[in-house]
Amino acid sequence: MALAFDEFGRPFIILRDQGEQERITGLAALKSHVVAAKAVANAMKTSLGPKGMDKMLVSPDGDVTVTNDGATILDNMDVENQVAKLLVQLSKSQDEEIGDGTTGVVVLAGALLEHAESLLDRGIHPIRIADGYEMAASIAVDHLKAISDVIEWGPDNIEPLINTAMTCLGSKMQMAEIAVKAILAVADLERKDVNLDLIKIETKVGGRLEDTQLINGIVLDKEFAHPQTPKELKDVKMAILTCPFEPPKPKTKHKVDVKSVEDYNKLAEQEQAYFRDMVKKIKDSGATLAICQWGFDDEANHLLLQNELPAVRWVGGVELELIAIATGGRIIPRFSEITPEKLGKAGVVREISFGTTKDRMLVIEECSNSRAVTIFIRGSNKMILEEAKRSLHDALCVTRNLIRDNRVVYGGGSPEIACSLAVSEAADKVASLEQYAMRAFADALEATPLALAENSGYQAQETLATVKAKQVTEKNHRLGIDAANKGTWDMKEQNVHDPLISKQQQFLLATQVVKMILKIDDVIKKGGQE
């Protein structure tokens, strides 16, 4: 920075780094946004649908992840462009709010920006395009409600929920049933609310994916502290502790001088007295199992065995909360506060081991409050376990969405085609420039069925034209792309369902992000870096 004067003697400042800045404005900036968004959307298109291809993601450390889950792919991609990062955030928002449709929302946003580019070339102002998109999204969401069907289900009729969960799990019938039963175990059906935090997903390498099971209780990746502890306990009363099994340590600096054997014995006896007092307080409360957040040394461990008090150490805070919820116990922060009323109750606590590796885990079952469950996933390697965990998360979210709102639309791109036709028809009745943006929105909606058809090995344009014509002539909004090759275009016959709120959120989120991007017409980069 330097100070200079003009011909009239007025001072002005010269910024020396001005030449290092790169600035893109107007149409060039908007087109650069479109290019970045198209690159991300095109990478995601091939992962859409049941026949979508997987992506192999290699981290800087060499860890390999193989998945076709949109949120996971984008989260692990090394994205530098800021507009592309907005699409990553879009996918995360869809995943956090709905849990499903993370790939479709990015594909739709990319298609909307791609069609906006041709409108910009025709001289239409980006604000008018954004307004047209918003009008079209409103019409599409209303049309989704009109074509949705209500599925009737109940505690004795969970088949419709299983069919919908299978849509995002492919053909894994057993996994879909586990997901539905887990959601129903923790759901508050009166309030139509589900707390997914009550469902713990635990994985263990070994066995087959078919060995995955739902446990009405908690599974801990721990074992009893002492190897001589009985491996199965019944009618358990457990003390859930966040205080350590050790003598208290002064907060100030201190030292102990041990000058004789008597001093050492006195110190050891005092320490033993602390341990005995702790164990006595637990035993006096009636507890038959101690679960501790912290560790304890061999001396305390031996003393617990002598007093016939099984214990588990180093249990995480999240697990402690789940155990407290499941067993109806209270988390106890100090030994002085242990009372019989604060103990959790469980019918069985058992230790299980696996194969030749002798890995051990604890299972807490028959709890007083069954509203906390664990899905225990088995698999041959870590990669399969992680993908199964992601698929199961999608199925849990879909089932939760159906409990919140039991309206569904049918899959295979059928709602996108139906909404595309509805928006095109509405655009003909709009006299302003927004009609061009509305038609562009209608064309962008076809990107999803086009990608589904292409990923399924069909001639994409020809298949889409056929299905679109059939929807008009037969007046059947359930016709979509037969990605599963079952010989019928009718998605209702194939039991391919999507929750209504998932599809609505896709349309609205994609439109809002595209509207935001279209309003960015000035990009300043310092030193060529974003």
Side-chain angles (χ1 to χ4, degrees), residues 237-241 243-245 275-292 296 304 307-311 332 334-340 343:
K237 293 180 181 179
M238 60 185 72
I240 306 165
L241 307 170
C243 42
F245 260 103
F275 285 135
R276 282 195 294 269
D277 184 53
M278 292 172 185
V279 174
K280 184 176 183 301
K281 284 176 179 173
I282 297 174
K283 294 285 286 185
D284 288 349
S285 69
T288 56
L289 174 65
I291 295 181
C292 188
F296 40 83
L304 287 166
N307 286 271
E308 297 181 352
L309 182 62
I332 302 167
R334 285 179 286 273
F335 284 97
S336 59
E337 296 182 14
I338 299 175
T339 60
L343 301 180

Side-chain angles (χ1 to χ4, degrees), residues 410-430:
Y410 296 94
S414 58
E416 282 86 357
I417 296 171
C419 289
S420 173
L421 293 168
V423 172
S424 294
E425 188 179 339
D428 294 337
K429 300 172 186 175
V430 176

Side-chain angles (χ1 to χ4, degrees), residues 35 79 84 138 154 157 189 192 285 301 451 471 476 529:
V35 169
V79 178
S138 177
N157 178 28
L189 298 181
K192 293 188 175 180
S285 69
N301 200 7
Q471 275 209 18
N476 184 356
Q529 298 295 319

Side-chain angles (χ1 to χ4, degrees), residues 87-258:
L87 292 191
V88 174
Q89 294 299 322
L90 169 65
S91 179
K92 281 184 180 177
S93 299
Q94 179 76 11
D95 190 42
E96 288 170 6
E97 291 186 35
I98 300 298
D100 188 35
T102 51
T103 307
V105 73
V106 173
V107 170
L108 177 57
L112 287 171
L113 284 169
E114 187 175 350
H115 284 82
E117 186 177 20
S118 61
L119 297 179
L120 291 168
D121 290 336
R122 291 164 67 178
I124 299 176
H125 196 278
I127 295 298
R128 303 296 291 273
I129 298 172
D131 290 344
Y133 277 178
E134 197 159 22
M135 291 167 61
S138 177
I139 292 164
V141 167
D142 290 340
H143 190 66
L144 280 175
K145 293 176 185 175
I147 65 174
S148 65
D149 284 352
V150 175
I151 61 166
E152 300 295 339
W153 66 273
D156 300 324
N157 178 28
I158 62 172
E159 196 66 30
L161 295 179
I162 293 173
N163 288 336
T164 309
M166 282 177 65
T167 302
C168 62
L169 284 171
S171 59
K172 301 182 184 75
M173 172 75 178
Q174 179 208 10
M175 298 278 275
E177 193 171 339
I178 287 172
V180 170
K181 287 182 177 177
I183 288 289
L184 291 177
V186 304
D188 187 339
L189 298 181
E190 288 183 8
R191 293 173 53 208
K192 293 188 175 180
D193 187 37
V194 177
N195 184 1
L196 289 180
D197 291 336
L198 294 175
I199 301 174
K200 184 172 185 273
I201 299 179
E202 193 69 56
T203 60
K204 196 72 175 177
V205 173
R208 300 175 303 163
L209 206 56
E210 290 78 10
D211 296 333
T212 299
Q213 56 183 309
L214 175 67
I215 295 171
N216 289 314
I218 307 297
V219 175
L220 294 176
D221 194 5
K222 301 290 174 187
E223 56 186 284
F224 287 119
H226 203 287
Q228 294 179 19
T229 303
K231 303 307 177 191
E232 183 170 331
L233 307 174
K234 293 188 176 179
D235 298 325
V236 180
K237 293 180 181 179
M238 60 185 72
I240 306 165
L241 307 170
T242 56
C243 42
F245 260 103
E246 60 184 23
K249 294 177 180 175
K251 299 294 182 186
T252 57
K253 290 183 179 179
H254 64 284
K255 68 174 183 174
V256 177
D257 293 326
V258 179

Side-chain angles (χ1 to χ4, degrees), residues 56-100:
M56 179 181 283
L57 306 165
V58 184
S59 74
D61 298 331
D63 293 334
V64 175
T65 303
V66 178
T67 181
N68 64 359
D69 179 62
T72 306
I73 294 169
L74 289 171
D75 194 39
N76 286 280
M77 280 173 65
D78 189 13
V79 178
E80 293 184 358
N81 185 281
Q82 301 304 317
V83 171
K85 285 180 180 178
L86 279 176
L87 292 191
V88 174
Q89 294 299 322
L90 169 65
S91 179
K92 281 184 180 177
S93 299
Q94 179 76 11
D95 190 42
E96 288 170 6
E97 291 186 35
I98 300 298
D100 188 35

